[in-house]
């Protein structure tokens, strides 16, 4: 009896495995095909495992989102300032997110082909190509975004930023949390007072931002969860210019990085052990790979507006391996007090704009005057010499010429 029970159980496991590997009726990747990419080496079919290129678009998009919106101005006031808002970025899902290059061994020769990512298209259920196609849910996304709450405070040109978000377990989402902190310092107060009035709207600041996020996902028909731990870091130099008081144009140059580490334990229940009553796990997946995002240099353009005393929306564009749009429209910034103007700072420091040039000009004029005086003295001396009467030379009057008489 025990033998019959074990044979029946073995056949049921084989049937479950066969259905797991196959694409669904529409040609989309099965849950196992999608999730096994996060494991470096499985026990069922190694072809589905350790495929960072298949899941890389997730961290590419997350990295761009988390490394944006760390600043709302290149200027950080000296007066105490508070900020609060809900910034978010919109990253379009493009063709580069839906396919990647993977190398296959064709009769002993490695060959690269473009194949679908987890955001990719579906295949034809009637054709057995052996490829793993995209996930139907992720393929339906046109854009990628990640909202969070952000608060900041600044004093004496230094700014501290905090951001975060927490959601309870909902449906397939078993975990969602985000925490980040940033620092900013502006240098405009060190040089603006030396600039001409038209250039005094220029400011430069340095920005640092770090985010960490945890996401848990439980696929349908599976127990356990896939856990993704994401970290993102950015270093930026922000150059801003205010042509008028309530508009600021900003340009960003920086470097960003992002990493996604997977962990967790997922399995399907094939039944219960007839002797112990414990669940029998099948199609087990133990995610454990780490994938880097678009790590490298970034470039950005943004425009900030100040309406009234507090409403401070920002719209921008970033490029770091792919394009994203910052839509920080729900943001408020309140400054308590007024900073000194560049002219007031110059007066306080005793700096007279253009004084250096005036000193140089006075030195040149002094040298020219001295040269002119020397020239005039030489001319006067020459004239005096030329106007003096010649003196007769009587040195030979008293000298008697020798006589040659006999």
């Amino acid at each position: 009896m025990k033998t019959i029970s074990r044979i029946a159980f073995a056949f049921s496991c084989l049937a479950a495995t066969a259905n797991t590997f196959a694409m669904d009726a529409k040609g989309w990747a099965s849950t196992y095909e999608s999730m096994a990419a996060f494991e470096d080496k499985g026990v069922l079919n190694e072809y589905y495992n350790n495929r960072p290129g298949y899941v890389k678009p997730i961290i590419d998009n997350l990295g761009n989102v988390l490394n944006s919106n760390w600043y709302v101005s290149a200027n950080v006031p000296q007066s105490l300032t508070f900020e609060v808002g809900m910034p978010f970025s919109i990253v379009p899902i493009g063709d580069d997110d839906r396919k990647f290059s993977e190398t296959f061994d064709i009769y002993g020769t490695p060959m690269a082909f473009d194949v679908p990512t987890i955001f990719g298209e579906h295949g034809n259920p009637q054709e057995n190509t052996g490829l793993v196609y995209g996930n139907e849910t992720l393929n339906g996304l046109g854009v990628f975004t990640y909202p969070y709450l952000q608060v900041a405070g600044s004093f004496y040109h230094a700014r501290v930023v905090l951001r975060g978000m927490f959601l309870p377990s909902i449906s397939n989402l078993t975990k969602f949390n985000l925490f980040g902190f940033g620092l900013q310092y502006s240098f405009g107060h060190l040089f603006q007072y030396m600039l001409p009035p038209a250039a005094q709207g220029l400011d430069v600041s340095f920005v640092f931002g770090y985010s960490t996020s945890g996401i848990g996902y439980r696929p349908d028909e599976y127990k356990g969860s896939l856990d993704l731990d994401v970290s993102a870091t950015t270093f930026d130099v922000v150059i801003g210019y205010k042509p008028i008081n309530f508009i600021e144009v900003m340009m960003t140059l920086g470097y960003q990085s992002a990493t996604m580490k997977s962990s967790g334990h997922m399995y399907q229940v094939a039944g219960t052990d007839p002797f112990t009553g414990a669940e029998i796990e099948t199609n087990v997946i133990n995610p454990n790979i780490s994938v880097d995002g678009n790590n490298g240099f970034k470039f950005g353009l943004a425009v900030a507006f100040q309406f009234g005393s507090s409403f401070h929306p920002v719209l921008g564009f970033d490029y770091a391996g792919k394009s994203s749009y910052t839509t920080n429209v729900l943001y408020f910034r309140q400054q308590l007090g007024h900073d000194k103007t560049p002219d007031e700072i110059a007066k306080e420091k005793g700096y007279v704009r253009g004084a250096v040039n005036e000193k140089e000009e006075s030195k040149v004029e002094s040298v020219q005057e001295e040269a002119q005086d020397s020239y005039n003295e030489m001319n006067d001396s020459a004239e005096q010499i030329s106007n003096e009467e010649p003196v007769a030379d009587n040195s030979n009057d008293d000298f008697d010429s020798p006589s040659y008489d006999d």
Side-chain angles (χ1 to χ4, degrees):
M1 187 66 179
K2 292 182 180 180
T3 302
I4 296 175
S5 298
R6 293 184 183 277
I7 292 175
F9 174 70
F11 273 107
S12 66
C13 288
L14 289 173
T17 300
N19 291 331
T20 299
F21 288 161
M23 66 177 72
D24 67 14
K26 298 180 182 179
W28 298 107
S30 66
T31 301
Y32 182 87
E33 289 176 321
S34 297
M35 297 296 102
F38 290 95
E39 184 176 9
D40 63 352
K41 186 176 182 180
V43 297
L44 295 177
N45 191 322
E46 293 185 8
Y47 168 71
Y48 300 107
N49 304 124
N50 197 18
R51 305 182 70 216
Y54 183 74
V55 298
K56 189 177 185 296
I58 298 175
I59 186 59
D60 285 346
N61 290 286
L62 272 175
N64 278 29
V65 168
L66 296 179
N67 283 323
S68 64
N69 287 314
W70 281 111
Y71 61 90
V72 294
S73 174
N75 171 260
V76 180
Q78 179 175 332
S79 305
L80 186 63
T81 306
F82 295 100
E83 305 170 20
V84 63
M86 183 179 286
F88 60 95
S89 292
I90 297 176
V91 184
I93 304 297
D95 291 339
D96 56 336
D97 293 306
R98 303 190 189 279
K99 59 184 178 181
F100 75 105
S101 180
E102 189 169 32
T103 301
F104 297 90
D105 190 351
I106 308 297
Y107 299 111
T109 302
M111 299 182 66
F113 297 90
D114 285 341
V115 296
T117 68
I118 198 169
F119 286 87
E121 301 297 333
H122 64 80
N124 186 347
Q126 308 302 322
E127 297 179 0
N128 184 15
T129 61
L131 294 178
V132 177
Y133 291 93
N135 178 275
E136 183 177 11
T137 301
L138 294 179
N139 178 265
L141 296 178
V143 296
F144 192 96
T145 188
Y146 204 72
Y148 43 81
L149 296 171
Q150 181 167 296
V151 296
S154 61
F155 193 52
Y156 271 85
H157 310 289
R159 176 172 173 262
V160 178
V161 188
L162 297 175
R163 60 172 52 165
M165 181 65 76
F166 174 81
L167 293 175
S169 176
I170 303 174
S171 184
N172 299 94
L173 188 67
T174 61
K175 178 179 66 175
F176 182 93
N177 59 64
L178 165 68
F179 173 77
F181 73 93
L183 300 172
Q184 181 179 3
Y185 187 83
S186 68
F187 301 90
H189 63 284
L190 301 176
F191 60 82
Q192 286 173 334
Y193 68 92
M194 294 185 287
L195 300 177
Q200 289 178 359
L202 180 69
D203 208 332
V204 179
S205 65
F206 176 78
V207 179
F208 164 79
Y210 172 78
S211 298
T212 178
S213 179
I215 306 170
Y217 174 71
R218 181 189 300 115
D220 293 332
E221 302 177 0
Y222 266 78
K223 286 195 173 183
S225 67
L226 164 68
D227 298 320
L228 301 177
D229 295 315
V230 178
S231 61
T233 306
T234 183
F235 299 89
D236 301 324
V237 175
V238 183
I239 303 171
Y241 178 72
K242 291 183 177 180
I244 52 181
N245 287 334
F246 63 90
I247 295 179
E248 182 179 9
V249 181
M250 293 172 283
M251 181 179 71
T252 304
L253 299 173
Y255 182 89
Q256 72 169 30
S257 62
T259 301
M260 177 179 65
K261 296 181 179 180
S262 62
S263 61
H265 178 69
M266 296 180 293
Y267 62 94
Q268 288 181 309
V269 178
T272 57
D273 191 298
F275 307 103
T276 64
E279 290 182 340
I280 304 298
E281 298 182 5
T282 186
N283 300 329
V284 177
I285 304 173
N286 294 305
N288 59 355
I289 68 170
S290 179
V291 185
D292 292 333
N294 285 324
N295 299 346
F297 290 98
K298 62 186 293 188
F299 169 79
L301 295 172
V303 181
F305 304 89
Q306 182 71 41
F307 297 114
S309 61
S310 59
F311 187 39
H312 192 90
V314 183
L315 300 174
F317 167 82
D318 290 333
Y319 183 83
K322 62 178 308 180
S323 301
S324 62
Y325 301 90
T326 55
T327 55
N328 195 353
V329 294
L330 298 175
Y331 209 83
F332 301 89
R333 185 188 195 205
Q334 183 67 53
Q335 181 176 343
L336 305 179
H338 298 280
D339 287 5
K340 296 177 182 178
T341 66
D343 289 338
E344 291 173 339
I345 295 175
K347 185 177 181 181
E348 185 179 85
K349 292 180 176 291
Y351 178 84
V352 179
R353 193 172 296 112
V356 175
N357 293 333
E358 291 176 2
K359 290 181 180 179
E360 295 296 331
E361 289 176 1
S362 65
K363 289 181 180 179
V364 173
E365 290 176 357
S366 177
V367 171
Q368 290 176 341
E369 290 176 358
E370 291 178 0
Q372 185 65 41
D373 291 341
S374 299
Y375 178 76
N376 292 338
E377 290 178 359
M378 292 175 61
N379 283 341
D380 292 342
S381 299
E383 289 178 0
Q384 290 178 0
I385 293 173
S386 62
N387 292 333
E388 290 180 355
E389 295 181 358
V391 178
D393 187 3
N394 298 322
S395 57
N396 295 327
D397 289 350
D398 297 331
F399 179 77
D400 292 334
S401 299
S403 175
Y404 297 98
D405 295 337
D406 295 334

